[in-house]
Amino acid sequence: MEQILRNFFLFLSKNKFFTKLAKRYGLRFGAGRFVAGETIQHAVETIKELNHQGMSVTIDHLGEFIESESEAKAAAEECMEAIRAISSHNLDSQLSLKLTSMGLDISYDLALENMRNILKEAEEKNVFVTIDMEDFERCQTTIKLFKELREEYEHIGTVIQSYLYRAAEDIEDLNVYNPNLRLVKGAYKESPKVAFPDKKDVDENYKKIIKIHLLNGNYTAVATHDDTMIEFTKILVKEHNIPLNQFEFQMLYGIRVERQQELVEEGYKMRVYVPYGDDWYGYFMRRLAERPANVAFVLKGITGK
């Protein structure tokens, strides 16, 4: 049943009609639990509160189905506005973004141009930028673009997904750049030709890439809500005397809030992934797909019970 729900929500996440409908009616139907608001001003207030609680943040201006150069440039400008807001409010926050929102599906050069503009602003304001990884179809291009940008800029990282067979190979390939990587399990529906179909294999590969990247001496963001993976990381860093400033845990805004606070109190760096914007629908559906139990939170938000 859980797999059926997962596939259903992933299907909905790609539906352009519902995406447009959701933008029209705003953050209703429980999405407000997982999205900080529709504007950077809303996001700033959320970041301030999380910083007050001892948590770091990475913000993501949500965008799906960019279809024109003007839309991509507007999305890039939104990212630069977010960087300026982080700097002017002296927030403990980074920026995350997707290359499709920068126009990757229109042209590689357009995405590269927009990224250079963003990273120039980020270097000036000392704000770190992470390129989110999307589906397998865009994986190789994302890594190629990351490498090109990493040759020019310091304040940039990307994401590796453990459900892909290629994950460990990609980490070793990127090691020459001493990259700051966010390690995740993965939230897209992929063919068994490119991704592990069984959860246990995804989990084992996740442990494998955490260990490889940490032992390579690189900064590692362990992005998971899975207590097994959190405990694995804690044990690993103790066994190998890895300093606390070489890694952090990351979780999504609105999910396992108490666990986030516990990790802070235990002395670990905790970064919360905070999305904002009116194009929230696809992100919201993928969160429901990752953990169908989140549907209960949505129903509670709608009914108020």
Side-chain angles (χ1 to χ4, degrees), residues 3 5 9 14 21 25 29 43 48 50 73-74 102 104 111 127 160 171-172 174-176 179 188 261 264 269 305:
Q3 187 61 40
L5 282 172
F9 287 123
K14 298 177 181 179
L21 201 65
Y25 289 104
F29 310 115
K48 286 180 178 178
L50 290 167
K73 288 187 178 298
M102 297 298 106
L104 183 64
V127 175
I160 298 295
I171 285 183
E172 293 289 21
L174 291 171
N175 188 45
V176 66
Y188 293 86
Q261 193 61 55
V264 171
K269 188 175 183 69
K305 298 179 180 179

Side-chain angles (χ1 to χ4, degrees), residues 4-5 38 41 46 49 63 127 170 177 211-212 233-234:
I4 293 173
L5 282 172
E38 296 188 347
Q41 288 74 29
T46 298
E49 178 59 29
V127 175
D170 283 336
Y177 297 92
K211 185 173 184 179
I212 291 172
T233 304
K234 289 180 180 180

Side-chain angles (χ1 to χ4, degrees), residues 39-277:
T39 68
I40 185 60
Q41 288 74 29
H42 291 137
V44 164
E45 294 307 310
T46 298
I47 296 168
K48 286 180 178 178
E49 178 59 29
L50 290 167
N51 286 172
H52 181 70
Q53 296 170 19
M55 300 181 200
S56 301
V57 169
T58 184
I59 55 171
D60 177 10
H61 180 251
L62 298 171
E64 306 271 338
F65 306 120
I66 295 293
E67 295 177 337
S68 69
E69 183 173 333
S70 62
E71 287 179 323
K73 288 187 178 298
E77 181 55 45
E78 184 71 39
C79 289
M80 288 184 277
E81 182 183 350
I83 290 169
R84 291 189 285 268
I86 290 169
S87 177
S88 64
H89 290 277
N90 197 28
L91 302 173
D92 180 2
S93 180
Q94 300 177 353
L95 174 74
S96 292
L97 57 81
K98 290 178 174 58
L99 289 180
T100 50
S101 68
M102 297 298 106
L104 183 64
D105 290 349
I106 299 170
S107 83
Y108 182 93
D109 288 342
L110 174 61
L112 185 62
E113 177 189 353
N114 283 331
M115 285 302 303
R116 282 180 171 142
N117 290 335
I118 290 167
L119 288 168
K120 181 181 178 183
E121 189 81 31
E123 297 270 294
E124 290 175 357
K125 300 294 193 297
N126 196 32
V127 175
F128 193 85
V129 177
T130 296
I131 299 174
D132 285 340
M133 190 60 73
E134 299 178 69
D135 56 3
F136 177 79
E137 180 183 350
R138 298 173 177 88
C139 181
Q140 185 58 43
T141 307
T142 299
I143 288 177
K144 177 186 175 184
L145 196 143
F146 167 74
K147 288 178 177 179
E148 189 167 351
L149 292 168
R150 185 64 181 82
E151 296 280 0
E152 304 172 31
Y153 302 96
E154 290 286 334
H155 289 56
I156 182 172
T158 191
V159 178
I160 298 295
Q161 301 163 312
S162 75
Y163 71 167
L164 295 181
Y165 299 137
R166 60 179 290 170
E169 183 179 335
D170 283 336
I171 285 183
E172 293 289 21
D173 177 51
L174 291 171
N175 188 45
V176 66
Y177 297 92
N178 301 118
N180 178 327
L181 296 178
R182 178 191 301 148
L183 306 183
V184 304
K185 293 185 183 181
Y188 293 86
K189 183 175 175 59
E190 304 287 4
S191 164
K193 293 180 180 179
V194 300
F196 294 103
D198 295 330
K199 181 182 181 300
K200 62 179 179 59
D201 294 322
V202 176
D203 289 352
E204 286 307 306
N205 203 41
Y206 194 49
K207 292 177 183 178
K208 178 180 178 179
I209 64 174
I210 291 171
K211 185 173 184 179
I212 291 172
H213 198 54
L214 280 171
L215 294 186
N216 279 345
N218 298 315
Y219 195 86
T220 305
V222 181
T224 182
H225 302 100
D226 186 339
D227 282 324
T228 300
M229 300 304 155
I230 292 169
E231 292 307 313
F232 170 81
T233 304
K234 289 180 180 180
I235 293 169
L236 180 69
V237 298
K238 287 179 181 177
E239 286 180 346
H240 295 276
N241 297 313
I242 294 170
L244 290 179
N245 63 3
Q246 194 192 318
F247 72 99
E248 64 187 47
F249 292 111
Q250 292 189 5
M251 291 188 187
L252 299 170
Y253 177 65
I255 300 179
R256 302 209 69 194
V257 176
E258 292 180 1
R259 187 69 176 113
Q260 293 174 17
Q261 193 61 55
E262 288 172 1
L263 287 166
V264 171
E265 292 169 1
E266 290 171 18
Y268 295 101
K269 188 175 183 69
M270 178 74 235
R271 188 176 303 278
V272 182
Y273 186 102
V274 176
Y276 74 99

